[in-house]
Amino acid sequence: MDILVCFSTCPDASTAERIARTLVESRLAACVNLLPGVRSIYRWEGAVASEAEVLMMIKTTTAQLPALRAHLVALHPYAVPELIALQAADGLPAYLQWIADAVASGGPP
C-alpha cells in the first residue's frame, strides 16, 4: 500500500472544513484531521508574514494524489496553497488498509 499523509493549511476553520468534507466525500481522502491554532510565519511577496491558520492532515494514497492536488488547488482560496505529501513508512496494518479501501472507488465508506 502506498499511503500518504498530506499537509495543507487554510486561513480559517470554515474553509478547512469545507475542503476536508469535499475531499472525503469525493473519496480523495479517507480522513482529514483539522488542527486549529497553528501560527505560520513565512516569506511572501518579499515580506515576512505571520498568520493564524488551520492545518489539515490528509490521509490518502499515492494513486489519489494527482486528483487530490487538482481538487485542492480548485477549492483553496490561497494563490499558492500548501500541499506536502509524506509517505507513511509504517502503521497499524488494519488502519492503513482502511485508508486504501476508503479512497478506492467502490470501497467501503
Side-chain angles (χ1 to χ4, degrees):
M1 280 178 279
D2 291 326
I3 303 299
L4 301 175
V5 179
C6 303
F7 297 95
S8 184
T9 52
C10 289
D12 55 59
S14 62
T15 301
E17 184 163 341
R18 177 179 53 83
I19 292 172
R21 283 191 176 279
T22 300
L23 295 176
V24 172
E25 288 170 356
S26 301
R27 301 179 84 84
L28 298 175
C31 173
V32 181
N33 302 109
L34 305 180
L35 292 87
V38 172
R39 167 82 43 207
S40 296
I41 300 170
Y42 56 95
R43 182 171 300 280
W44 183 252
E45 297 180 344
V48 175
S50 176
E51 300 289 338
E53 293 184 300
V54 174
L55 177 65
M56 295 189 298
M57 194 167 68
I58 306 161
K59 274 74 93 188
T60 191
T61 61
T62 302
Q64 293 293 50
L65 185 59
L68 186 149
R69 182 185 298 122
H71 272 68
L72 184 71
V73 169
L75 296 168
H76 210 288
Y78 291 168
V80 181
E82 173 185 11
L83 180 60
I84 298 172
L86 304 174
Q87 188 77 41
D90 199 1
L92 182 66
Y95 183 76
L96 299 177
Q97 187 62 56
W98 171 78
I99 293 171
D101 292 345
V103 300
S105 65

